[in-house]
Each structure stands twice: as structure tokens, then as C-alpha cells.
């Protein structure tokens, strides 16, 4: 029924009890999951752990906070090989992050330039492979949109954990991209995301947990897990005046058309 389109099953926070977490997700009606990677090692881990999980597929990529794990060009060939794996459904999680401080030894300018270069290389790879991309943004909106604009029509992107207004999203939606909502829309004060979730057209958005982060109400502050996408779906349904079944059906259809290889 539910499709958690952004759940970090490869996080160390799930190492001890992943089978139980997946059982709770199944009991909550979560039938499909997209697990985004943060670096090459994490991509390999996710491809291995999803091998026996038919309803779990993987986004292969280097997160902007983890681009210090790569330099030069050879890593792109490694990523290309991983993205050819039968469980790879997208390139991600890629993007820009100006919120977290650079790692030791990097100036802000050099760090941001390296993030931008890694993003461009991965966007080109996605075009080459015919895959869509999962985008991370944190305090980098204008630069991220500027990076994506030349790729309009060549790939589709999901702006994950979208917290902006519909006006911000509109030109991207018109270019075929998507936004997705986390448990933030269940908060008492969801910011602009609440109004955006209420008004965005069916087919323009998906649901996610971003587990192990951003647990929805009533789990706020605890470790988030994929089962909780059901709580986010209920909140979105209430905002939109739709049944939760309708929200689940529409968002699942949207995600099936966006990510490669799901049944
Ligand atoms: Zn993420």
C-alpha cells in the first residue's frame, strides 16, 4: 500500500535490528521502499542487503556531505558499475549541503566547489544510464536549482524532504521533477510544507520517512523507521481531504513511474 521513497536502510542505526524494522514496516502496510546510498561503500552494502528483499531497491550515489570520500575520476567508473546492478533504481542521494561545516582541512569554497563537481558528474552519469536522481538540499536551494536546470528534459529529479512553497516547486514540477514530503508535515508547525502538501497536484509528489531521521508525530525525536510513512500518509490525506487509501495509491503510482524496476 505505502511506498517509502527515501529510507536509509543502510544506516548503522539499523544494523542491529533491520529484520524487525522491516517486519514492522510490512505490518504497517509499507509494501515498497527505496533506500538511497551516501557513498560507494554504502551503495555496495545496500545492494547486498536488498538482494533478498524483492520490494526494496537502491539509489546509488555519493551524498554531498560524503564527497570527501572521493577524488579524481576513477570513483565515477565504480559508481557506474554499481548503478548497472539489477537492484539500482536511481542515482542518489546527491546534491548540495551548505548547512554542515566542511570536514577538517577543507575551506568552505573548496568544499562547495567539490560538492558541485561531484553533483554534475553524477547528473551526467544519470543521463548516460537513463536513471532519475534523488536530490538533497540543505540551505543550498538556489545553487541546486541552477545545477539542475541544464538537465531539464534529460532526467527527472525528486527534491527529497521538500520544505518550501508551491511557488518554489512549480517551475520544477513543470519540468517533470517531483517533490517528496517527510514526517515534517505531521508536525504541529510544518512550515510552508504543510500548505504545499495540501495544494500540490496528484502526481507531483511522493512520501518518504528519511529514516532514521525526521520521525513523524507521535514518534518525533525517536529513531525514524519505514513503518512511519503510514503516519505521514495519514497527515497528508487529512491536509488534502482525501482518503489515506487514495493518497497511498496515487503516491505509489507516482513512485513506480519514477524509480526503475519496481513491480
Ligand atoms: Zn537522505
Amino acid at each position: 500500500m505505502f511506498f517509502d521513497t527515501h529510507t536509509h536502510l543502510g544506516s548503522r542505526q539499523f544494523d542491529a535490528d533491520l529484520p524487525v524494522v522491516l517486519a514492522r514496516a510490512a505490518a504497517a502496510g509499507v509494501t515498497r521502499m527505496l533506500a538511497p546510498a551516501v557513498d560507494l561503500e554504502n551503495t555496495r552494502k545496500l545492494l547486498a542487503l536488498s538482494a533478498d528483499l524483492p520490494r526494496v531497491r537502491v539509489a546509488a550515489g555519493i551524498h554531498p556531505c560524503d564527497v570527501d570520500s572521493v577524488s579524481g575520476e576513477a570513483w565515477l567508473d565504480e559508481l557506474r558499475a554499481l548503478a548497472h546492478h539489477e537492484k539500482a533504481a536511481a542515482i542518489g542521494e546527491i546534491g548540495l549541503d551548505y548547512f554542515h561545516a566542511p570536514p577538517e582541512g577543507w575551506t568552505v569554497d573548496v568544499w562547495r566547489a567539490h560538492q558541485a563537481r561531484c553533483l554534475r558528474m553524477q547528473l551526467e552519469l544519470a543521463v548516460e544510464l537513463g536513471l532519475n536522481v534523488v536530490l538533497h538540499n540543505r540551505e543550498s536551494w538556489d545553487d541546486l536549482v541552477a545545477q539542475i536546470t541544464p538537465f531539464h528534459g534529460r532526467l527527472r529529479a525528486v527534491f527529497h524532504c521538500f520544505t518550501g512553497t508551491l511557488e518554489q516547486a512549480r517551475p520544477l514540477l513543470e519540468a517533470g521533477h517531483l517533490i517528496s514530503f517527510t514526517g515534517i508535515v505531521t508536525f504541529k508547525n510544518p512550515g510552508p510544507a504543510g500548505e504545499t502538501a495540501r495544494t500540490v497536484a496528484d502526481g507531483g509528489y511522493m512520501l518518504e520517512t528519511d529514516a532514521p531521521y525526521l520521525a513523524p508525530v507521535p514518534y518525533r525525536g525517536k529513531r525514524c523507521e519505514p513503518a512511519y510513512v503510514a503516519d505521514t500518509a495519514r497527515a497528508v490525506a487529512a491536509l488534502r481531504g482525501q482518503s489515506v487509501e487514495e493518497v497511498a495509491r496515487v503516491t505509489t503510482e507516482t513512485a513506480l513511474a519514477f524509480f526503475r524496476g519496481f513491480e
Side-chain angles (χ1 to χ4, degrees):
M1 177 170 175
F2 300 112
F3 195 138
D4 186 355
T5 63
H6 196 111
T7 186
H8 290 280
L9 300 179
S11 163
R12 270 186 224 106
Q13 293 195 46
F14 293 122
D15 279 353
D17 64 346
L18 186 62
V20 184
V21 167
L22 293 173
R24 278 196 293 265
V30 181
T31 45
R32 296 178 185 83
M33 284 165 268
L34 186 284
V38 296
D39 60 21
L40 291 172
E41 189 190 331
N42 192 237
T43 302
R44 283 188 281 268
K45 176 180 178 176
L46 283 168
L47 291 173
L49 78 77
S50 65
D52 301 324
L53 303 171
R55 295 301 184 89
V56 176
R57 298 179 62 78
V58 173
I62 320 281
H63 190 286
C65 292
D66 296 281
V67 291
D68 56 326
S69 65
V70 299
S71 62
E73 310 270 332
W75 63 271
L76 196 69
D77 295 328
E78 262 185 89
L79 182 59
R80 180 182 289 106
L82 293 170
H84 276 296
H85 193 285
E86 58 171 4
K87 295 293 283 196
I91 297 293
E93 166 174 6
I94 63 176
L96 300 174
D97 188 307
Y98 296 171
F99 173 77
H100 293 96
E104 223 179 298
W106 295 75
T107 65
V108 168
D109 286 353
V110 172
W111 179 238
R112 290 184 180 182
H114 187 52
Q115 285 191 7
R117 178 173 181 267
C118 292
L119 172 59
R120 275 195 300 276
M121 290 169 78
Q122 294 183 94
L123 289 168
E124 294 288 357
L125 178 66
V127 171
E128 176 195 320
L129 300 177
L131 289 170
N132 291 328
V133 301
V134 179
L135 291 180
H136 171 101
N137 155 59
R138 194 122 183 233
E139 300 189 2
S140 55
W141 180 258
D142 291 346
D143 285 358
L144 183 62
V145 170
Q147 291 281 350
I148 298 309
T149 302
F151 289 89
H152 286 185
R154 300 165 68 201
L155 53 69
R156 299 175 69 205
V158 57
F159 291 79
H160 114 86
C161 191
F162 187 77
T163 55
T165 63
L166 189 57
E167 284 58 47
Q168 268 182 307
R170 189 168 284 125
L172 301 163
L173 296 169
E174 284 170 358
H177 304 308
L178 299 174
I179 55 178
S180 73
F181 301 112
T182 61
I184 287 175
V185 296
T186 70
F187 294 178
K188 195 169 169 205
N189 180 5
E195 181 63 8
T196 307
R198 191 178 73 79
T199 51
V200 63
D202 281 349
Y205 80 101
M206 303 190 290
L207 302 177
E208 59 165 305
T209 56
D210 201 16
Y213 315 107
L214 291 174
V217 172
Y219 311 103
R220 198 170 171 183
K222 304 204 173 106
R223 182 185 71 171
C224 186
E225 57 178 69
Y228 303 165
V229 79
D231 298 86
T232 298
R234 279 189 281 273
V236 168
L239 283 166
R240 297 172 71 79
Q242 293 174 320
S243 70
V244 68
E245 289 78 12
E246 177 72 355
V247 165
R249 186 185 66 74
V250 169
T251 52
T252 294
E253 252 174 42
T254 304
L256 287 174
F258 183 83
F259 295 112
R260 183 174 74 185
F262 276 96
E263 289 167 22

